[in-house]
Amino acid sequence: MNDPDAGGAGRSWAETAPLSAVALRVNDEVRRLEVDPRTSLLDALREHLHLSGTKKGCDHGQCGACTVLINGRRVNSCLTLAVMHEDDEIVTIEGLGDLDSLHAMQRSFVERDGFQCGYCTPGQICSAVGMLAEVGAGWPSHATADVASPRIALTDEEIRERMSGNICRCAAYPNIVAAIRAVAKAGTQ
Amino acid sequence: MIGQPLDRIDGPLKVTGQAIYAYEHWEPGQPLYGVIVGATVGKGRITRIDTDSAEHAPGVRMVMTHRNAPEQGARDESVPMEYWRAQPVLTSPDIHYHGEPVALVVAETLEQARAAAALVHVEYAAGRGRFDFAAYEDEAYAPKEANGGFPTDTEVGDFDTGFSTADVRIDQRYTTPYELSMPMELHACLVQPRGEDLIVYVSCQIVDAALASIASTLRIDPARIYIITPFVGGGFGSKLGIHAETILAAIAARALREPVKVALTRQQIFQLVGMRPTSSQRVRLGAGRDGRLVAVAHDVTMATNPDIEFAEQTAATTRSLYAAPHRLTTHRLTPLDLPRGADVRAPGEAPGLLAVESAMDELADALGIDPVELRIRNEPAVDPESGVPFSDRHLVECLREGARRFGWEHRPTTPASMREGRWLVGYGMAAAIRKHFQGQATVRVRLEADGTAVVQTDMTDIGTGTYTILTQVAADGLGLPPERVRIELGRSELPTSWGSGGSWGAANSSTATHRACVAVREKLLVTACGDTGSPLHGLDPAEAVFAEGSVRIGGADEALSEILARNHPDGVQAEGETRFMGDDPNYAAYSIHTYGAHFAEVGVDADTAEIRLRRMLGVFSVGRVLNPKTTRSQLIGGMIWGVGAALQEEAVVDLRSGAFVNRDLAQYLMPVHADIPDVDAVVLDGYDDKANVLGMKGVGELGICGAGPAIANAVFNATGVRVRDFPITLEKVLPGLPLMDT
Ligand code: FES
Ligand code: FES
């Protein structure tokens, strides 16, 4: 790291870092960016693409507000750099559904009041969509009674365990679980 | 519409990511980014600060420290409420608490600002700080009054005699930790200079307070400041006022003549926005063998910042809770060199009821009386200290209904006697009470010529449901379908209110909205009934019914749009107002509170003492409910805060440096999904005609009140171990666990 007292008029390593070109595929659109290599995917979405539906709650992988889907898997976008995602398929809350056609999970959150302030909500919803896919693929969790079983029963405990990376300070948890449960039920009928 | 479980009006915006929070506005164009550098000592003085490297780092536009920060207005205690006062920063080299801002770095990108912030080199002469509450607890002083305007001390009867002659006595000390609001949206502010004006996008609960605070700190005319805050990602007290992010963004934007935005990091939120101070509470209860209390004392000592006094009203709630002829409550403060104390959701009740409702459980146990029954036996006929009647008290109904629904009769009467496999199972309960406050609010309602209504106020929606309930109130008030009502909130040019806080926002703004609608209706009726062209001409306006976009009087009716077209081509508008409670005689003549009863079942691992909440129910009485869906959400949210307070939340001070050592979300534990099983809230039908014209009261904080002690009491019932030092973590329970054969 740079030593500020070591002369060189405080020229930091940052100055020598050139901008990096990256093409992100966000919500089915290719977006070409020139970003500082230090730019997190979260900041690229929010500050460069103005897709502010993806939220920053901690910037350290501790709250889940920044959850997006990358190639179908949920990822904390604050913990990964934008330049690492050339060619990856990124879906944010804006890509799941819009005001005219809500995604089933979005609609279910509205109906069950799965939020209050709404700040953790995009992360909860992206996480819930990714989580259901993980369960569908048979990935076990700490709450799975039989990890050898190819089919995982989506109990409330499963939902809660798998959603625990998404903090809601408004504590809409019971309603979030109800919203996810309703979508899962509808999907299996 | 009132009373209907309408889905949140702003719900679709929130679930699609279209609700825009403070840091996310792009109307001003590309902003500069500010990053705050905090002190790394808890007390002392800056001896050297070298900003040269940072200033020369790429993209940096400004480095501000106490040496070059502009002169700011001083915090003025003659301004009655803290949140309206100036909040100067970077005023001197003195460090008052760990993390205090020492510099702001502004650069073209966030990455550049963050990197340059790391280059600001600060040297300190560390002083000897007072950080250890326990060490200085005995040096506490009596504040002039407690937060919320409550008297510091109260005394009724002769406590000492009453207590010493009681048949059964409980005398225990309870401690509660530093706790933080921790809204999920980071505290953030974006300021755009426009000529001499400042457009301020800020995450705050009270627009009027933010405006006054910025104006007096920057010493500019409040008329030059425009606050915009359509969505706030949670507040819970920490956004009642504005903090360093807002002042520094405003100063930098003014100096640089460009938009600047600053967000606190999650770690800085542990240092810069206030906290619930730690408390030590002595509770003494003296009762007869029949369980009737003869003496109640609640003596509270809490920490305070030495410069910005905050006396949480922790004993105040005890004054209205149970009957007893001899009573005593006191508040004392110990100054420590820690961040300021401030309102955190349910200030007073949250820590106070942890102590008092635990003590009541101890009394029930000592007497061998059921805890629900004990509370019913101590139900007062009038407010036990002020002697005034209750406006609408239904605590006993909440207790009975909760016990019935929860299956309280299955509670093991002997602690540590119910076991399910590895789990020791216990039930606990506690009462909930919270004073209902009323504050100023003005709302303008305009009925447009096309028959749609616009409701305008600077009130905020911090997740509380303001958009939704005001829609319902206005729809009812004007007889319109909710789609024809539009709500505009969170802008300083709109009529002012005291915002969201103290659970008063809903009632203040709804009542004012209702009054504005009544005034609009009157204007319409005067013209319609006086208009020979109207079918309503000459009819009695007192008989008018507004429904489905029409006005009906007896058998005649006319569409609003026609009345408007003929008589009010520009629409009709009126304002409605809610007064501060100090100017409303009902608030002196009656004891106005909300009530509830919490019931919890926990399992405690017989070997590890791991505590798991298994289910929880709250039954509440809050007057009239405007929207059962959003009300339940608020109450459940509060109850879950109680779970955090009972079992998890604690900001831990490093006694050498005064730093909160666990200042992030991985180490400051708050409830997550897996911690929260089945939690439900039920609200009794009600109407408090003394509170306001709508009969409603606040619900935002009631859910926490008593939720924590219900869990604490369940842990005791499960294990026989009474932990009086919150939060109840497993290492405090483990040594006392009964030995069992497995
Ligand atoms: S912002 Fe990424 S996990 Fe919190
Ligand atoms: S809805 Fe506010 S944090 Fe989850």
Side-chain angles (χ1 to χ4, degrees):
Chain A
M1 277 294 284
N2 181 60
D3 178 357
D5 293 329
R11 299 287 141 171
S12 76
W13 53 275
E15 181 159 66
T16 56
L19 295 182
S20 305
V22 62
L24 298 176
R25 289 149 61 91
V26 184
N27 302 331
D28 284 334
E29 241 183 88
V30 177
R31 311 286 300 262
R32 288 175 207 289
L33 291 177
E34 296 261 299
V35 291
D36 189 312
R38 297 167 295 183
T39 305
S40 68
L41 177 59
L42 173 61
D43 286 329
L45 293 169
R46 286 169 64 81
E47 304 303 326
H48 293 260
L49 300 177
H50 301 186
L51 289 170
S52 54
T54 306
K55 302 302 183 193
K56 183 182 284 188
C58 69
D59 220 8
H60 278 78
Q62 297 174 342
C63 76
C66 63
T67 306
V68 298
L69 298 169
I70 301 182
N71 303 327
R73 288 182 58 177
R74 45 189 180 149
V75 169
N76 286 342
S77 62
C78 68
L79 286 187
T80 188
L81 298 171
V83 292
M84 296 160 66
H85 294 285
E86 182 89 34
D87 288 338
D88 282 341
E89 199 69 64
I90 299 162
V91 176
T92 70
I93 191 72
E94 291 91 347
L96 275 186
D98 57 29
L99 289 177
D100 299 324
S101 60
L102 297 182
H103 184 281
M105 192 65 78
Q106 292 171 320
R107 192 171 327 108
S108 192
F109 267 64
V110 174
E111 284 166 3
R112 314 269 160 169
D113 212 31
F115 54 91
Q116 291 171 43
C117 77
Y119 198 79
C120 74
T121 312
Q124 301 275 358
I125 291 173
C126 288
S127 188
V129 169
M131 182 274 289
L132 290 182
E134 290 161 21
V135 173
W139 300 3
S141 82
H142 172 73
T144 308
D146 177 6
V147 293
S149 160
R151 241 196 114 261
I152 292 168
L154 191 72
T155 59
D156 286 355
E157 287 66 39
E158 281 286 357
I159 298 176
R160 291 183 189 121
E161 172 64 24
R162 290 163 187 267
M163 290 297 294
S164 283
N166 290 87
I167 299 177
C168 178
R169 187 54 159 169
C170 297
Y173 298 125
N175 294 357
I176 294 170
V177 172
I180 297 172
R181 193 197 301 129
V183 172
K185 269 220 181 92
T188 53
Q189 269 162 18
Chain B
M1 273 325 288
I2 290 185
Q4 296 302 307
L6 190 69
D7 287 345
R8 270 172 216 269
I9 297 293
D10 49 341
L13 289 175
K14 286 179 172 172
V15 300
T16 54
Q18 306 298 324
I20 306 297
Y21 300 80
Y23 204 74
E24 302 166 353
H25 288 267
W26 289 97
E27 300 91 308
Q30 179 63 51
L32 300 169
Y33 292 82
V35 168
I36 294 172
V37 181
T40 55
V41 298
K43 175 88 180 164
R45 203 177 157 78
I46 297 171
T47 52
R48 187 168 100 89
I49 187 158
D50 180 354
T51 55
D52 201 49
S53 308
E55 278 160 22
H56 290 94
V60 170
R61 298 287 297 279
M62 168 189 240
V63 179
M64 187 169 34
T65 68
H66 69 276
R67 292 181 314 199
N68 60 346
E71 188 101 349
Q72 297 157 64
R75 197 175 146 270
D76 177 0
E77 297 199 354
S78 72
V79 174
M81 285 185 280
E82 175 64 28
Y83 304 113
W84 275 255
R85 293 176 187 159
Q87 306 291 339
V89 277
L90 304 178
T91 51
S92 84
D94 296 327
I95 302 302
H96 306 84
Y97 57 90
H98 199 276
E100 182 172 357
V102 296
L104 174 79
V105 177
V106 181
E108 277 153 26
T109 71
L110 178 58
E111 293 76 22
Q112 290 169 334
R114 199 164 44 201
L119 300 177
V120 174
H121 180 80
V122 191
E123 289 170 19
Y124 303 92
R128 278 175 57 87
R130 292 161 49 113
F131 305 128
D132 185 356
F133 179 71
Y136 296 104
E137 193 185 330
D138 294 343
E139 298 177 18
Y141 69 93
K144 275 208 199 66
E145 65 172 17
N147 184 43
F150 290 96
T152 305
D153 298 346
T154 58
E155 196 170 355
V156 174
D158 174 358
F159 174 78
D160 286 338
T161 308
F163 185 66
S164 60
T165 56
D167 294 339
V168 179
R169 287 188 293 271
I170 300 293
D171 181 354
Q172 292 293 356
R173 186 171 296 279
Y174 304 85
T175 55
T176 63
Y178 298 99
E179 199 188 354
L180 292 118
S181 296
M182 283 298 129
M184 288 315 296
E185 183 203 7
L186 301 168
H187 287 247
C189 183
L190 162 59
V191 179
Q192 175 190 17
R194 202 164 61 192
E196 284 304 298
D197 295 349
L198 293 180
I199 323 289
V200 180
Y201 302 88
V202 56
S203 186
C204 69
Q205 297 177 224
I206 311 174
V207 165
D208 191 49
L211 183 83
S213 196
I214 297 168
S216 54
T217 311
L218 270 67
R219 302 201 287 203
I220 55 181
D221 180 358
R224 306 243 71 118
I225 301 171
Y226 298 84
I227 309 270
I228 301 176
T229 184
F231 293 99
V232 179
F236 316 115
S238 68
K239 293 177 184 169
L240 286 164
I242 48 98
H243 305 282
E245 76 293 327
T246 303
I247 296 306
L248 291 173
I251 292 176
R254 258 185 117 205
L256 294 166
R257 317 252 19 111
E258 279 183 68
V260 174
K261 62 182 180 180
V262 181
L264 301 184
T265 63
R266 181 56 66 186
Q267 290 82 346
Q268 287 172 334
I269 292 178
F270 284 81
Q271 301 167 317
L272 302 183
V273 305
M275 63 190 175
R276 191 194 306 287
T278 192
S279 77
S280 168
Q281 308 178 46
R282 182 182 185 194
V283 179
R284 285 171 287 173
L285 303 175
R289 295 249 161 251
D290 61 357
R292 276 178 217 283
L293 289 165
V294 289
V296 174
H298 190 180
D299 299 302
V300 177
T301 305
M302 293 182 88
T304 183
N305 177 283
D307 305 308
I308 304 172
E309 181 183 279
F310 179 76
E312 185 159 351
Q313 63 269 44
T314 301
T317 192
T318 308
R319 296 170 185 165
S320 297
L321 186 49
Y322 298 119
H326 306 293
R327 333 175 53 94
L328 184 67
T329 62
T330 63
H331 293 93
R332 297 292 178 269
L333 294 176
T334 290
L336 295 180
D337 298 309
L338 294 174
R340 62 162 66 181
D343 291 294
V344 173
R345 200 173 187 183
E349 294 88 355
L353 287 170
L354 276 172
V356 169
E357 285 294 279
S358 291
M360 282 295 280
D361 202 64
E362 301 205 43
L363 179 62
D365 187 57
L367 288 162
I369 296 177
D370 180 273
V372 173
E373 176 59 26
L374 178 67
R375 286 163 175 87
I376 292 172
R377 283 190 198 171
N378 287 291
E379 175 69 2
V382 294
D383 189 287
E385 290 212 359
S386 66
V388 301
F390 293 112
S391 64
D392 186 47
R393 177 166 165 133
H394 300 288
L395 177 57
V396 171
E397 287 95 315
C398 293
L399 291 163
R400 291 216 163 99
E401 181 64 12
R404 188 184 68 75
R405 286 177 181 251
F406 192 75
W408 181 248
E409 70 275 15
H410 302 303
R411 167 183 177 261
T413 43
T414 311
S417 64
M418 197 192 323
R419 182 144 182 197
E420 285 178 20
R422 279 169 46 210
W423 298 97
L424 296 160
V425 178
Y427 286 20
M429 60 77 54
I433 177 171
R434 185 161 202 283
K435 186 178 168 89
H436 174 69
F437 295 92
Q438 179 174 288
Q440 190 276 330
T442 307
V443 173
R444 179 163 59 228
V445 173
R446 197 172 68 239
L447 191 57
E448 308 274 19
D450 66 358
T452 57
V454 185
V455 178
Q456 297 178 315
T457 167
D458 76 355
M459 173 66 188
T460 48
D461 189 332
I462 61 171
T464 39
T466 314
Y467 283 106
T468 313
I469 58 167
L470 294 191
T471 300
Q472 294 176 271
V473 172
D476 255 18
L478 297 172
L480 293 174
E483 315 76 76
R484 283 172 58 189
V485 177
R486 193 172 80 238
I487 309 294
E488 295 181 4
L489 303 178
R491 291 208 316 270
S492 55
E493 79 263 27
L494 301 178
T496 59
S497 74
W498 289 0
S500 302
S503 296
W504 65 14
N508 294 345
S509 58
S510 296
T511 306
T513 301
H514 172 81
R515 293 202 174 105
C517 290
V518 169
V520 166
R521 266 183 351 220
E522 279 166 5
K523 288 188 183 183
L524 285 169
L525 286 170
V526 167
T527 45
C529 297
D531 175 1
T532 51
S534 167
L536 306 177
H537 180 252
L539 298 177
D540 179 4
E543 308 270 290
V545 176
F546 283 67
E548 288 151 35
S550 296
V551 187
R552 186 157 31 85
I553 304 181
D557 69 84
E558 182 167 32
L560 283 176
S561 53
E562 283 170 36
I563 301 176
L564 287 160
R566 252 197 341 277
N567 303 295
H568 305 278
D570 299 326
V572 180
Q573 73 173 39
E575 288 193 348
E577 207 171 333
T578 303
R579 290 185 287 178
F580 170 57
M581 56 198 282
D583 303 322
D584 183 334
N586 272 2
Y587 283 77
Y590 296 93
S591 168
I592 304 181
H593 289 79
T594 51
Y595 303 92
H598 297 271
F599 295 82
E601 177 184 331
V602 302
V604 181
D605 188 291
D607 297 313
T608 68
E610 177 188 358
I611 304 165
R612 305 297 300 171
L613 178 66
R614 292 159 64 117
R615 65 191 176 103
M616 191 167 181
L617 171 71
V619 174
F620 301 97
S621 167
V622 299
R624 186 188 196 186
V625 168
L626 296 193
N627 182 323
K629 189 176 264 191
T630 56
T631 297
R632 176 174 171 275
S633 293
Q634 288 262 87
L635 290 167
I636 289 176
M639 290 167 71
I640 293 170
W641 270 60
V643 179
L647 301 177
Q648 298 177 314
E649 292 185 37
E650 175 173 23
V652 179
V653 178
D654 174 357
L655 299 179
R656 298 159 304 175
S657 67
F660 286 122
V661 288
N662 57 337
R663 55 180 186 277
D664 66 36
L665 297 182
Q667 300 176 86
Y668 179 87
L669 300 183
M670 314 191 295
V672 300
H673 278 283
D675 299 317
I676 302 303
D678 188 15
V679 172
D680 202 3
V682 170
V683 183
L684 303 180
D685 281 343
Y687 187 94
D688 189 336
D689 65 343
K690 306 299 185 297
N692 51 57
V693 53
L694 294 173
M696 65 181 291
K697 292 180 282 193
V699 299
E701 289 157 294
L702 178 64
I704 318 172
C705 305
I711 291 163
N713 297 340
V715 171
F716 172 76
N717 184 247
T719 61
V721 180
R722 176 71 62 183
V723 177
R724 301 185 184 89
D725 174 28
F726 290 96
I728 306 174
T729 43
L730 51 79
E731 80 283 3
K732 298 175 191 169
V733 177
L734 193 59
L737 276 191
L739 288 177
M740 306 243 181
D741 346 305
T742 35

